[in-house]
């Protein structure tokens, strides 16, 4: 059978924008030149089919028909082309005429078979289109697009005997109900044309309800789409360096970084680091750069990638509470925009184990201690695998005392238990970074990049020298000082600090690091005494607002030093300030209201407050000579990215310190060593106790295997040259056994199984120092015998931290005065604890105490601190309490925060000891009161990260009285309503409130889901 050439002159219009790949899926609807070759038998079998569809195979039209495109991708393109349908009708009419003329002898076997199929269908009172039934068979069309499959299905259904319905239920097709009366009508004897069938099939397909319409698909969120692309790329090509538009993240993340952090583009080193093979393949990584090099942003991008792309939780460990609170505020907005939780674990905050969330991922931001407790709780509930990424800031703190030991324990447990969890460490440059690489099984990336050039100088007498390690003397002459000092000024300021700072302020900022807290206040006062009056007019209005805020934070009282220095744009910053004061000073310095801070070294380790010039008043911290790491941390604050073109540091030296200073500024960085043996091996004892309690290792052999993977195991030869790991493990286990913290099934055997006791479990779950675990248990047990419940004093004494006692010597006259003001019941309680009135009277009078009563001194000192805390709880006025007890307000604030954290530890301790059950409810409320120590109505507002008492009072007076009020506040209106609150700060407060509100809501929802979930072990 031939088809005339005019039938082949068909042009198919293509307007569909979405193309679906057809590679490897060819059918007879595919244009001839695009089809793969077929066998002779296949060609003969489908000759009629091929002849029919030659209308689509003309050479001139192949350019309009791509086999990677859906033939019926756009319904209007074909239905609107009448020429195509008319020619299709002509082809069908021509074929039927030949059938009617009885041209069977000339038909192929396929045509005869179609005639038989027609006859069979007619015998079942059904009509069919033999052409369509014959050519659109199932085997050939299984890969056709949906529109063609609808056409084929209609033909097949008409021919099938099963098509005859017997049920009385109305049939639903394409959302249109067809009644049985319509269905049972006799079929029309008029044959439907291919055109009619084709139109009906495509219209049915167009009106069919799909799972996602084209309109909905186009409205799909860009973030979700790009996350899917990144996920698919990561799963398929894990070694690729570019997984998406922004390092595997949605482009919205880049926009948020620009909006919230004012960062338009990444530094070159950041791009290189994010594209490292170790990052792409999720290997552990340590990267080291100078201070202010931009390390944190890389970590945040990797965290977002873990949360959004891999759908895993992330853990960020920071060294200080202030840094945790700052980071929670900063990332809360990202969490709200990108739909993940930001949870704070610092001080007494944090839930163990964390609430298990089904829908959203969580970023846990923790201190070193809280991070360890969090990891322990996840191991205990078999949920550590939910943490996909652990990021550690200031990794070099592994080498700093007991906190370094806790950090090492945390990382060692993660490495041992969860092989899929990636560890990223940020660190200053270390001399023995290789040891840390072996410990963490990590790659290393190091760069000396700084966004602003840093020049280091030292000042000796009247000469400034530039630090140059290439010079033989390490110092290279730079310039002579020629300051015109009066005789009195020369006497007050022999180191020329006033002249050095006035070279940069008030236009630029300056930090002056001092050796002691008292020196900070003295230097700030001395500088202001000799500053010109012009400094008073610089940002005068902003400084007046700062003074008002400081006065408000002190309930009408302001520090006399700050009252004198702030008008000049100068302030001091050290731990003697309250949290409110420190925060106000930091915010004022960041906004350039203050241009100079006299501070201690703690500022360098805390939040980032850069300056144009950094001056080190002396190379000492208290009486200790500076370490190289401390020096680099301080001078690293010089140079503000985006503001200054350069930064400079000046170390003021005396002649006697010249040689030591050369080693300080030119020597390589210190080594970082394991601190598990710090304090007579207390870190190692704590580690072994928790390993047994968590069922990680229960034999001595397994214990040695675990320890070989710690930093102590890597540095065994240096840290413990006299005792091997075998000996250390055996000795530690024996100590724990004697303390009653662990037991073993067969004493003295290598294969003995170790078990934890109740006291041991309470100790590690409460994160209680092993030195005090037995003492704490004894005090709590004794307290139950005569617990005073009509006053908080007894409970406060039980949660006063033991390690704070050495830092405070009681003023015995004040002590006796405060004792006399207590109730008779409270005085009896003190006497029962070993501090009777007679004892205090003798101490207040300066008389000696019998040797037999000497042990009471420690109890008496602890009770003195308890009285300070008790006064705070009653009055909530830190200024008045610190004045009454003649203590610095900073010390009282530290005592309060330490007590709230220790109270939380004691609460977890008592939860594991059945005999201490009465303390559970009592300590839960006391923890809350100590955490905030404010009037009850302010507590909901102070739960928000970074909101201190003064700010909470402002918010409360402005009408924002609950967390819900704050979460739904308009940041612009909030900034206008609340005095001394900038728009950026208002945005952070509202975002943090929203995040906290969502966290509370999800915790309640999870509790509801747990209650309504059918138990898996329900008896059947």
């Amino acid at each position: 059978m031939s088809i005339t050439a005019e039938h082949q002159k068909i042009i198919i219009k293509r307007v569909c924008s979405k193309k679906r790949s057809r590679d490897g899926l060819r059918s007879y609807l595919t244009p001839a030149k695009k089809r793969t070759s077929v066998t002779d038998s296949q060609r003969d079998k489908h000759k009629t089919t091929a002849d029919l569809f030659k209308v689509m195979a003309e050479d001139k039209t192949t350019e309009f028909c791509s086999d990677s495109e859906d033939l019926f991708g756009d319904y209007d393109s074909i239905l609107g082309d009448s020429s195509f349908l008319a020619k299709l009708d002509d082809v069908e009419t021509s074929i039927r005429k030949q059938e009617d003329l009885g041209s069977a002898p000339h038909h192929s076997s396929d045509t005869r078979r179609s005639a038989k199929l027609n006859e069979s269908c007619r015998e079942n009172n059904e009509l069919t289109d033999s052409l369509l039934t014959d050519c659109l068979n199932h085997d050939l069309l299984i890969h056709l697009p949906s529109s063609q499959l609808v056409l084929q299905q209609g033909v097949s259904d008409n021919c099938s005997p099963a098509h005859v319905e017997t049920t009385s239920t109305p049939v639903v097709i394409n959302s249109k109900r067809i009644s049985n009366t319509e269905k049972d009508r006799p079929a029309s004897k008029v044959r439907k044309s291919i055109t009619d069938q084709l139109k009906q099939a495509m219209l049915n397909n167009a009106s069919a309800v799909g799972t996602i319409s084209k309109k909905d698909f186009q409205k799909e969120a860009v973030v979700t789409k790009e996350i899917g692309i990144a996920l698919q790329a990561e799963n398929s090509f894990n070694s690729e360096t570019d997984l998406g538009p922004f390092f595997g993240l949605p482009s919205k993340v880049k926009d948020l970084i620009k909006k919230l952090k004012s960062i338009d583009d990444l530094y070159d080193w950041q791009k290189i680091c994010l594209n490292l093979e170790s990052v792409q393949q999720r290997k552990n990584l340590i990267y080291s750069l100078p201070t202010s090099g931009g390390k944190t942003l890389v970590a945040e991008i990797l965290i977002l990638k873990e949360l959004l792309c891999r759908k895993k939780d992330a853990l960020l460990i920071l060294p200080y509470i202030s840094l945790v609170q700052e980071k929670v505020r900063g990332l809360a907005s990202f969490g709200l925009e990108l739909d993940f939780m930001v949870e704070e674990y610092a001080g007494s905050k944090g839930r163990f184990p964390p609430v298990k969330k089904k829908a959203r991922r969580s970023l846990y931001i923790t201190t070193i201690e809280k991070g360890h407790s969090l990891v322990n709780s996840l191991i205990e509930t078999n949920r550590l695998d939910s943490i996909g990424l652990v990021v550690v800031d200031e990794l070099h703190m592994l080498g700093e005392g007991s906190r370094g030991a806790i950090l090492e324990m945390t990382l060692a447990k993660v490495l041992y238990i969860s092989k899929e969890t990636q560890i990223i460490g940020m660190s200053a440059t270390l001399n023995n970074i290789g040891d840390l690489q072996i410990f963490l099984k990590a790659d290393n990336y190091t760069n000396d990049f700084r966004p602003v050039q840093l020049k280091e100088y030292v000042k000796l007498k009247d000469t400034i020298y530039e630090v140059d390690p290439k010079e033989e003397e390490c110092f290279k002459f730079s310039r002579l000082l020629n300051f015109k000092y009066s005789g009195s000024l020369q006497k007050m300021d022999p180191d020329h600090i006033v002249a050095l700072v006035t070279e940069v302020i008030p236009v630029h900022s300056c930090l002056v690091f001092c050796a002691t807290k008292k020196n900070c206040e003295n230097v700030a006062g001395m500088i202001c005494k000799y500053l010109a009056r012009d400094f008073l007019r610089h940002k005068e209005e902003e400084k007046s607002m700062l003074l008002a805020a400081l006065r408000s934070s002190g309930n009408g009282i302001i520090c006399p030093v700050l009252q004198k220095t702030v008008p000049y744009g100068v302030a001091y910053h050290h731990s003697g300030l309250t949290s409110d004061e420190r925060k106000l000073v930091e915010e004022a310095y960041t906004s350039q209201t203050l241009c100079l801070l006299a501070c201690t070294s703690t500022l360098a380790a805390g939040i980032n407050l850069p300056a144009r010039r950094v001056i080190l008043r002396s190379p000492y911290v208290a009486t200790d000579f500076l370490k190289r790491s401390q020096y680099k941390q301080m001078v690293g604050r010089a140079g503000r990215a985006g503001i200054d073109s350069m930064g400079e540091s000046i170390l003021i030296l005396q002649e006697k310190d010249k040689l030591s200073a050369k080693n300080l500024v030119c020597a390589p960085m210190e080594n970082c060593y394991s601190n598990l043996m710090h304090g007579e091996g207390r870190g190692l004892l704590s580690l072994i106790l928790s390993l047994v309690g968590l069922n990680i290792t229960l034999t001595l052999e397994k214990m040695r295997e675990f320890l070989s993977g710690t930093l102590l195991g890597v540095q065994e030869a240096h840290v413990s040259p006299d005792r091997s790991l075998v000996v250390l493990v055996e000795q530690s286990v024996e100590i724990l056994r004697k303390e009653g913290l662990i037991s073993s099934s067969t004493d003295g055997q290598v294969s003995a199984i170790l078990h934890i006791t109740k006291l041991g479990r309470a100790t590690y779950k409460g994160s209680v120092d092993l030195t005090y675990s037995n003492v704490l248990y004894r005090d709590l047990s004794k307290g139950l015998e005569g617990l005073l419940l009509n006053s908080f004093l007894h409970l406060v004494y039980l949660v006063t931290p033991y390690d704070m006692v050495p830092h405070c010597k009681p003023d015995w006259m004040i002590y006796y005065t405060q004792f006399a003001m207590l109730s008779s019941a409270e005085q009896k309680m003190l006497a029962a604890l070993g501090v009777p009135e007679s004892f205090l009277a003798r101490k207040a009078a300066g008389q000696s105490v019998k040797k037999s009563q000497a042990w009471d001194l420690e109890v008496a000192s602890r009770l003195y601190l308890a009285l300070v805390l008790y006064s705070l709880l009653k009055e909530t006025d830190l200024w008045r309490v610190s004045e009454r007890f003649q203590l610095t307000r900073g010390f009282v604030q530290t005592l309060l925060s330490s007590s709230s954290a220790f109270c939380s530890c004691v609460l977890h301790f008592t939860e594991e000891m059945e005999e201490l059950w009465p303390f559970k409810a009592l300590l839960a409320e006391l923890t809350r009161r100590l955490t905030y120590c404010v009037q009850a109505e302010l507590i909901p507002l102070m739960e928000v990260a970074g909101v201190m008492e003064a700010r909470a009072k402002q918010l409360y007076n402005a009408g924002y009285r609950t967390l819900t009020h704050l979460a739904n506040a308009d940041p612009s209106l909030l900034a206008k309503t609340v005095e001394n609150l900038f728009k950026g700060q208002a945005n952070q407060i509202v975002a943090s409130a929203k995040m906290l509100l969502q966290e509370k809501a999800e915790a309640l929802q999870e509790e509801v889901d747990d209650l309504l979930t059918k138990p898996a072990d329900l008896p059947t």
Side-chain angles (χ1 to χ4, degrees), residues 383-448:
R383 289 169 50 194
L384 187 60
D385 286 341
S386 66
I387 301 289
L389 176 67
V390 175
V391 176
V392 182
D393 193 10
E394 310 293 353
L395 185 65
H396 54 268
M397 288 196 72
L398 281 166
E400 297 187 15
S402 59
R403 304 193 77 208
I406 295 172
L407 182 57
E408 183 176 346
M409 292 183 228
T410 305
L411 296 176
K413 289 172 184 174
V414 172
L415 286 166
Y416 189 82
I417 294 172
S418 182
K419 306 300 182 185
E420 296 300 317
T421 302
Q422 184 183 18
I423 297 176
I424 302 290
M426 296 179 281
S427 172
T429 305
L430 294 174
N431 197 37
N432 64 334
I433 196 75
D435 287 353
L436 271 63
Q437 284 185 256
I438 297 172
F439 165 44
L440 296 178
K441 303 176 179 63
D443 291 344
N444 179 42
Y445 175 79
T446 302
N447 197 305
D448 58 358

Side-chain angles (χ1 to χ4, degrees), residues 302-423:
L302 293 174
I303 287 171
L304 293 176
K305 191 171 179 179
E306 194 70 26
L307 293 166
L308 302 180
C309 297
R310 298 193 72 246
K311 300 294 183 184
K312 289 273 193 174
D313 296 335
L315 171 61
L316 173 58
I317 300 176
L318 301 171
Y320 304 108
I321 293 177
S322 59
L323 292 178
V324 170
Q325 293 174 340
E326 181 190 23
K327 193 58 65 178
V328 168
R329 292 196 304 270
L331 292 179
S333 298
F334 283 89
L336 292 173
E337 293 285 346
L338 301 172
D339 196 31
F340 63 85
M341 301 299 298
V342 179
E343 300 185 36
E344 178 184 351
Y345 280 75
S348 61
K349 294 184 179 180
R351 183 168 177 171
F352 304 103
V355 176
K356 191 174 183 179
K357 301 175 182 64
K358 298 176 182 177
R360 292 200 283 178
R361 298 291 93 196
S362 290
L363 168 59
Y364 306 111
I365 304 180
T366 77
T367 56
I368 292 173
E369 293 79 8
K370 287 292 182 177
H372 184 227
S373 298
L374 178 63
V375 167
N376 282 346
S377 69
L378 291 172
I379 293 173
E380 190 171 29
T381 53
N382 295 316
R383 289 169 50 194
L384 187 60
D385 286 341
S386 66
I387 301 289
L389 176 67
V390 175
V391 176
V392 182
D393 193 10
E394 310 293 353
L395 185 65
H396 54 268
M397 288 196 72
L398 281 166
E400 297 187 15
S402 59
R403 304 193 77 208
I406 295 172
L407 182 57
E408 183 176 346
M409 292 183 228
T410 305
L411 296 176
K413 289 172 184 174
V414 172
L415 286 166
Y416 189 82
I417 294 172
S418 182
K419 306 300 182 185
E420 296 300 317
T421 302
Q422 184 183 18
I423 297 176

Side-chain angles (χ1 to χ4, degrees), residues 717-771:
H718 185 276
V719 177
S720 181
D722 301 329
R723 293 178 292 174
S724 66
L725 286 181
V726 176
V727 175
L728 288 175
V729 169
E730 291 174 350
Q731 291 178 347
S732 299
V733 168
E734 186 60 30
I735 292 173
L736 292 172
R737 188 185 289 114
K738 288 180 179 179
E739 292 290 331
L741 301 175
I742 64 172
S743 62
S744 58
S745 54
T746 54
D747 291 345
Q749 299 296 320
V750 176
S751 60
I753 304 300
L754 300 174
H755 307 280
I756 195 164
T757 63
K758 286 185 178 180
L759 179 60
R761 184 175 299 279
T763 300
Y764 95 78
K765 292 197 75 170
S767 300
V768 176
D769 193 315
L770 295 182
T771 308

Side-chain angles (χ1 to χ4, degrees), residues 158-328:
N158 287 335
C159 183
S160 172
H163 179 67
V164 182
E165 298 285 345
T166 57
T167 179
S168 61
T169 305
V171 180
V172 180
I173 299 177
N174 297 331
S175 302
K176 297 180 181 180
R177 294 172 63 88
I178 305 174
S179 66
N180 281 335
T181 56
E182 293 174 323
K183 181 188 68 176
D184 294 337
R185 290 174 185 167
S188 173
K189 298 298 180 181
V190 180
R191 182 193 301 271
K192 287 185 178 180
S193 69
I194 295 178
T195 302
D196 292 336
Q197 292 253 13
L198 187 60
K199 284 182 178 181
Q200 188 61 43
M202 290 189 292
L203 290 173
N204 286 345
N205 187 58
S207 63
V209 179
T211 55
I212 301 178
S213 67
K214 183 181 295 185
K215 185 177 180 182
D216 290 338
F217 181 80
Q218 291 173 341
K219 288 183 177 180
E220 182 107 15
V222 175
V223 175
T224 306
K225 179 180 178 182
E226 292 182 341
I227 288 175
I229 294 171
L231 263 177
Q232 184 180 6
E234 185 169 17
N235 292 334
S236 302
F237 309 101
N238 202 33
S239 61
E240 290 289 331
T241 57
D242 187 7
L243 304 179
F246 186 66
F247 303 102
L249 285 165
S251 54
K252 185 176 182 180
V253 173
K254 183 177 181 180
D255 297 336
L256 284 173
I257 291 174
K258 181 177 181 179
K259 175 184 176 182
L260 300 175
K261 292 179 173 290
S262 301
I263 297 175
D264 294 324
D265 195 13
L266 272 64
Y267 298 126
D268 289 341
W269 83 261
Q270 292 172 325
K271 297 176 182 178
I272 293 171
C273 187
L274 286 168
N275 286 321
L276 289 174
E277 183 180 358
S278 53
V279 173
Q280 302 300 324
Q281 296 184 0
R282 300 195 72 255
K283 295 179 181 178
N284 296 344
L285 175 69
I286 301 171
Y287 61 97
S288 309
L289 280 98
T291 302
S292 303
K295 298 189 292 288
T296 304
L297 181 59
V298 171
E300 290 175 357
I301 290 173
L302 293 174
I303 287 171
L304 293 176
K305 191 171 179 179
E306 194 70 26
L307 293 166
L308 302 180
C309 297
R310 298 193 72 246
K311 300 294 183 184
K312 289 273 193 174
D313 296 335
L315 171 61
L316 173 58
I317 300 176
L318 301 171
Y320 304 108
I321 293 177
S322 59
L323 292 178
V324 170
Q325 293 174 340
E326 181 190 23
K327 193 58 65 178
V328 168

Side-chain angles (χ1 to χ4, degrees), residues 799-814:
V799 300
T800 301
Y802 295 98
D803 56 0
M804 290 294 293
V805 174
H807 299 289
C808 177
K809 293 182 179 180
D811 184 314
W812 295 105
M813 183 57 72
I814 294 174

Side-chain angles (χ1 to χ4, degrees), residues 676-733:
L676 286 179
M677 299 306 296
H678 176 77
E680 299 180 354
R682 284 189 298 175
L684 181 59
L685 291 172
S686 296
L687 175 58
I688 291 176
L689 180 64
S690 64
L691 292 178
V692 176
L694 294 168
N695 294 318
I696 297 175
T697 56
L698 299 178
T699 65
L700 295 178
E701 186 175 347
K702 286 290 184 181
M703 204 76 70
R704 289 192 294 270
E705 178 187 331
F706 181 95
L707 288 176
S708 65
T710 63
L711 184 59
L712 173 62
V714 175
Q715 299 174 334
E716 178 184 358
H718 185 276
V719 177
S720 181
D722 301 329
R723 293 178 292 174
S724 66
L725 286 181
V726 176
V727 175
L728 288 175
V729 169
E730 291 174 350
Q731 291 178 347
S732 299
V733 168

